[in-house]
Amino acid sequence: MLTAAESRLTGDQLTGGHGSTGGGGSFHAVDPRTGLPLSPQFSAASHEDVERAAALAAEAFDTYRHTTPEVRAAFLEGVADHIESLGPLLTEQVRAESGLPALRVASETARTTGQLRLFARLVREGSWRDVHIDPAQPDRAPLPRPDLRSRRIPLGPVAVFAAGNFPLAFSVAGGDTASALAAGAPVVVKAHPSHPGTSELVGRAVQAAARENGLPEGVFALLHGPADDLGHALVTDPRIKAVGFTGSRRGGLALAAAAAARPEPIPVFAEMSATNPVFLLPHALRQGAADLARDFIASMTSATGQMCTSPGIVLAAESADLETFIQAASTAVAACAAPPMLSAGIHDAYEQALSRLAAIDGVTVRARGTDAPEVSTAGRAAVLFTDAATFLAHPELQEEVFGPAALIVRVPADRSLQTLARALDGQLTATLHAAGADREQAAALLDILELRAGRIIVNGWPTGVEVGHAMIHGGPYPSTTAPATTSVGTGAITRFLRPVSYQNLPADLLPPDLRDDNPLHLWRRIDGNPTRD
């Protein structure tokens, strides 16, 4: 449990195992419900603070990457324990800085601690090391085979950019941080300026767990600051070897460009934007258009539409059933309250995006939710409507509107849903609603959509991302910069690892996971065959 001093907000950076005042000015978080600043004042990091955090991370790397599975797993579990010990203090801080309801905060806290413990189990189990051993065959003809062994090792210190829409699960101790620490990589986190108090509390939980497990002070650092140049300085520091990012396309591409322009380019694993299309097939619509509409609006307005998996486009063939769906969706939206959005910046961008779409010839705003003038950042839901020709003629209709809004596209008989599917950008998710009689059309769409999305949902909704072994939260560009990876689930660890092959190493130089006696009891492939022997 954190001490009283560790649970008190100071507005400090967290580097070198303790807090310190940053040299880059100051700022306040803002309550999105009232628009008023929150205490305390936070100090922003300077470029010198970035350099110090990166230097400490590089110094810690040589020690941390050699920690035993038990020490690393205990560290991750300790972080989870300390976060839980914050209890109502953390809940109220998250709510003050984000406007999120208590139930959402509880759910996100559980997800955060759950994925930390999931990675702890993964570290102990060891399959992430991907060990292969091909024993020497000195008598093989025409040429002998050398002894070859391979494993994955961490890339080096990782910069993590906390997300604005998930103050816990995609933030300081979220999936990027958990997977990097599990891989053996120290982490420098750039906190999101919308929730610096939440970030400090969680950052101190990470620091406490690091101390308790005897880890070097540079294994974790937390930097505050609203300026873009802080992120640029972090990504371009030569000691940083990879980047994890969740946020806007503009932000992700800026970081990717900076990382690519370095003398030593590094990978940026950016999860950026998606409209998460939903395809309604004819027989599914016929069986329950009104129910589908209500469930769709519930998914679209979940978390005030501020989820990266929020369904933003619905496509269906024109029919009377589709008109029933559109009317039911419009009715449901008109009854939606307007809770606070996460920040004034997100709220303003949302309203501006809606205005741009509504100005396109062929696009109609069918319904808006109720207003809440007393809420500074009220997120009024919206349903827009267009036809297939307009959709295909205006690529900007595929751009993410980050908030509780979606575009319904009516597809005429002379155009197929497959044609629209082929025109889609890369997505995090794609959803099909299909009945048994829709099977042939569903199969044709699946063949297209698996090339355009990281996760395909059938007869469900994309909001809600299970944290597990089979989850893929990623997808082709522009949803991410790295379509072969995931930022959620145990597969996320592979982003921060690289394979190394060892040829003819003497037994006394082999690392434990490659030794013949297998002291870590890992599953390994020997001559391609899985074994724990």
Side-chain angles (χ1 to χ4, degrees):
M1 186 171 180
L2 298 182
T3 66
E6 290 171 328
S7 301
R8 185 176 63 252
L9 293 180
T10 64
D12 287 342
Q13 317 293 316
L14 301 181
T15 55
H18 52 80
S20 61
T21 301
S26 60
F27 68 102
H28 285 269
V30 175
D31 187 329
R33 297 164 292 190
T34 64
L36 297 176
L38 297 167
S39 294
Q41 177 177 276
F42 283 81
S43 64
S46 65
H47 287 203
E48 289 75 18
D49 296 319
V50 171
E51 290 177 4
R52 179 168 181 265
L56 287 169
E59 183 180 329
F61 177 55
D62 285 338
T63 298
Y64 185 59
R65 76 184 186 96
H66 291 300
T67 50
T68 66
E70 185 54 42
V71 167
R72 212 178 298 173
F75 172 36
L76 294 169
E77 290 168 340
V79 176
D81 292 343
H82 283 302
I83 289 173
E84 288 176 342
S85 76
L86 289 165
L89 175 66
L90 180 62
T91 299
E92 289 310 307
Q93 189 65 38
V94 175
R95 296 196 67 199
E97 293 180 331
S98 68
L100 294 172
L103 183 62
R104 159 69 190 274
V105 178
S107 173
E108 196 178 329
T109 303
R111 174 173 169 171
T112 304
T113 57
Q115 65 191 4
L116 284 161
R117 293 185 174 115
L118 176 67
F119 278 107
R121 294 193 294 273
L122 180 71
V123 167
R124 289 191 177 101
E125 179 267 332
S127 62
W128 57 275
R129 297 171 185 263
D130 195 27
V131 176
H132 291 257
I133 298 176
D134 295 339
Q137 295 178 357
D139 298 326
R140 189 185 67 175
L143 295 173
R145 183 175 80 177
D147 182 273
L148 289 169
R149 302 171 189 237
S150 69
R151 62 173 182 159
R152 291 176 179 170
I153 66 169
L155 293 173
V158 173
V160 168
F161 287 76
N165 59 332
F166 280 85
L168 297 170
F170 279 86
S171 189
V172 173
D176 286 344
T177 296
S179 55
L181 292 175
V187 172
V188 179
V189 175
K190 163 66 171 64
H192 197 280
S194 293
H195 35 79
T198 301
S199 298
E200 183 182 339
L201 289 174
V202 175
R204 291 191 181 277
V206 181
Q207 279 189 329
R211 282 196 303 272
E212 290 166 358
N213 286 280
L215 298 176
E217 61 183 13
V219 76
F220 171 82
L222 176 70
L223 302 175
H224 291 293
D228 290 343
D229 65 342
L230 175 59
H232 185 275
L234 184 56
V235 169
T236 55
D237 189 287
R239 290 156 291 206
I240 297 298
K241 302 302 181 184
V243 177
F245 171 87
T246 300
S248 70
R249 187 184 305 184
R250 181 188 67 82
L253 293 181
L255 295 181
R262 289 173 33 146
E264 177 203 2
I266 59 173
V268 174
F269 301 101
E271 185 256 278
M272 298 184 293
S273 63
T275 50
N276 305 298
V278 177
F279 291 81
L280 305 176
L281 301 190
H283 291 88
L285 267 176
R286 191 167 305 151
Q287 289 181 3
D291 289 341
L292 281 173
R294 286 189 291 270
D295 292 344
F296 156 59
I297 296 303
S299 178
M300 183 195 84
T301 57
S302 177
T304 323
Q306 298 163 113
M307 290 188 177
C308 42
T309 56
S310 183
I313 296 176
V314 176
L315 305 102
E318 58 183 0
S319 67
D321 298 316
L322 176 58
E323 297 309 312
T324 300
F325 175 90
I326 293 171
Q327 183 55 52
S330 301
T331 300
V333 161
C336 285
M341 300 190 78
L342 290 162
S343 70
I346 289 174
H347 173 265
D348 292 346
Y350 169 63
E351 290 293 342
Q352 291 166 14
L354 284 179
S355 296
R356 287 194 300 272
L357 295 188
I360 296 173
D361 285 342
V363 175
T364 304
V365 178
R366 288 294 297 254
R368 292 295 306 265
T370 59
D371 199 2
E374 73 282 3
V375 178
S376 175
T377 59
R380 291 183 64 201
V383 166
L384 297 88
F385 171 80
T386 193
D387 56 56
T390 303
F391 182 77
L392 292 171
H394 291 273
E396 62 269 32
L397 291 176
Q398 287 202 50
E399 294 176 5
E400 179 183 50
V401 176
F402 193 67
L407 176 69
I408 300 175
V409 182
R410 181 196 282 130
V411 182
D414 61 348
R415 290 186 186 270
S416 69
L417 287 176
Q418 289 96 311
T419 299
L420 275 292
R422 290 189 183 95
L424 291 171
D425 292 334
Q427 304 289 337
L428 294 172
T429 75
T431 299
L432 286 176
H433 280 273
D438 296 313
R439 182 171 298 277
E440 183 177 348
Q441 190 174 9
L445 281 169
L446 281 170
D447 201 47
I448 300 168
L449 294 177
E450 68 181 5
L451 300 177
R452 284 163 175 77
R455 177 166 59 110
I456 298 173
I457 301 100
V458 175
N459 294 338
W461 300 99
T463 43
V465 180
E466 182 69 23
V467 181
H469 304 290
M471 175 53 65
I472 298 299
H473 187 63
Y477 179 85
S479 63
T480 74
T481 56
T485 66
T486 177
S487 62
V488 176
T490 54
I493 195 173
T494 62
R495 297 173 298 167
F496 307 120
L497 299 166
R498 67 176 181 87
V500 178
S501 182
Y502 305 81
Q503 183 168 325
N504 290 338
L505 259 67
D508 60 347
L509 290 181
L510 287 171
D513 42 4
L514 299 182
R515 283 168 39 184
D516 287 340
D517 59 348
N518 195 11
L520 300 179
H521 305 292
L522 302 174
W523 278 103
R524 310 186 297 182
R525 287 188 177 272
I526 298 180
D527 266 336
N529 299 309
T531 178
R532 293 188 81 167
D533 294 337

